[in-house]
Amino acid sequence: MIKELSLHHGKNIGGRMSEITAVVPTRKGSERVKSKNTRPFAGKSLLEVKLDRLIELKKVGSIKDIVVNSDCDESRKISESYGVKFVERDPYLASSDAPITDYWKEVLLNTKTEHSMLCQCTSPLIRYDFYMKAINEYKKYNCSSMIGIDYVKDYLWKDDKSINYDWPEHPKSQDLTDYYRLNFGLVIISKEELLKYNNIKTPNSHLMLMRPDESLDIDNITEFRLAELLYEEN
């Protein structure tokens, strides 16, 4: 059963992990929301919102470095204005044609530290306290990887068959079988584990349960506007 904030999944591995690079990936070719990461968002941009949060973490020593990985000129300008390192991504690896595993390797292996934290701009509501808890638990338990998750509490069907409840019974939504999804709002992993499994989900991943607002991932203009409203309220 998933605890309030985390689940220790499998054995502990590795040694002490003191240096983590926060990697912020963007690309200029966003399909559903044009210029999603750099367009105005609550008076800034999604990239600026994310960099503001990460700089807080760097100031207290929770992360070693911050890198923006992108093919986007506007992202380069923003990162330079923040004094943040910029890594130019190969156009193919910034396209929709590139396999997701190749994208992960490009972003997470292109750092100076062994451990990297993937920080998607499209999850702008993740709080400082959550980042701190995730980083501290990753180091404490020597995890192979750390991934943000949230519960799926919906009535799920496939091929006209119920998946998470016994139809025609109809339980309350809170009593549905527990399923969770990887939301990728937060990922921390070592280069060794990424290369070993060719995936950011490993057999020993440490799962961090995220609040519904923090797990919001912007994929369309409706979610963009909702996230902006929630961000401005906090």
Side-chain angles (χ1 to χ4, degrees):
M1 181 177 181
I2 299 175
K3 299 179 181 179
E4 181 180 355
L5 275 174
S6 63
L7 169 67
H8 308 312
H9 196 75
K11 63 182 181 179
N12 296 333
I13 64 171
R16 182 180 178 186
M17 293 163 280
S18 59
E19 295 186 348
I20 296 174
T21 297
V23 185
V24 187
T26 71
R27 65 181 185 130
K28 62 183 177 182
S30 54
E31 298 173 353
R32 296 181 180 88
V33 183
K34 187 176 180 181
S35 303
K36 177 168 55 180
N37 296 302
T38 56
R39 66 186 289 159
F41 177 89
K44 296 184 179 182
S45 66
L46 289 174
L47 176 54
E48 289 170 300
V49 166
K50 188 60 65 175
L51 290 178
D52 285 341
R53 176 65 74 234
L54 297 177
I55 286 171
E56 290 181 279
L57 297 173
K58 186 177 179 181
K59 284 181 178 178
V60 298
S62 290
I63 57 176
K64 175 70 173 179
D65 206 357
I66 305 170
V67 171
V68 173
N69 185 302
S70 183
D71 66 332
C72 172
D73 289 337
E74 186 60 29
S75 293
R76 179 193 294 271
K77 292 177 184 178
I78 292 172
S79 63
E80 289 175 349
S81 72
Y82 272 76
V84 168
K85 296 177 183 178
F86 182 88
V87 173
E88 186 168 359
R89 197 182 315 165
D90 180 272
Y92 171 70
L93 293 173
S95 72
S96 299
D97 296 328
I100 188 68
T101 51
D102 289 353
Y103 156 73
W104 285 334
K105 289 177 182 177
E106 155 64 18
V107 170
L108 295 171
L109 298 181
N110 210 339
T111 63
K112 291 183 178 180
T113 59
E114 171 64 19
H115 306 274
S116 297
M117 179 168 68
L118 183 65
C119 303
Q120 305 282 8
C121 291
T122 50
S123 299
L125 303 177
I126 301 178
R127 292 167 174 79
Y128 172 86
D129 289 347
F130 183 84
Y131 274 121
M132 288 291 290
K133 183 173 181 64
I135 292 168
N136 289 339
E137 290 201 10
Y138 180 80
K139 294 177 179 180
K140 178 179 179 181
Y141 295 109
N142 292 334
C143 309
S144 63
S145 76
M146 173 82 73
I147 302 181
I149 65 167
D150 55 273
Y151 283 119
V152 177
K153 286 290 190 179
D154 293 310
Y155 299 92
L156 305 178
W157 286 69
K158 182 179 180 180
D159 299 329
D160 205 31
K161 293 182 179 180
S162 59
I163 296 175
N164 59 338
Y165 68 101
D166 294 323
W167 181 88
E169 294 181 12
H170 195 85
K172 296 177 181 179
S173 59
Q174 61 265 34
D175 295 328
L176 289 169
T177 301
D178 287 339
Y179 283 85
Y180 61 85
R181 70 182 184 100
L182 310 180
N183 59 47
F184 305 104
L186 175 123
V187 176
I188 313 176
I189 193 168
S190 69
K191 293 177 180 177
E192 178 183 359
E193 293 298 308
L194 178 59
L195 289 171
K196 181 178 180 179
Y197 293 104
N198 197 38
N199 203 299
I200 57 177
K201 176 68 177 74
T202 75
N204 304 305
S205 290
H206 185 83
L207 308 178
M208 292 289 291
L209 182 61
M210 302 177 71
R211 292 168 39 149
D213 57 339
E214 289 184 306
S215 66
L216 176 62
D217 176 54
I218 298 172
D219 197 42
N220 55 56
I221 194 63
T222 299
E223 292 167 343
F224 186 95
R225 291 170 177 163
L226 174 60
E228 188 173 32
L229 287 172
L230 292 172
Y231 181 82
E232 290 174 332
E233 287 180 357
N234 296 325

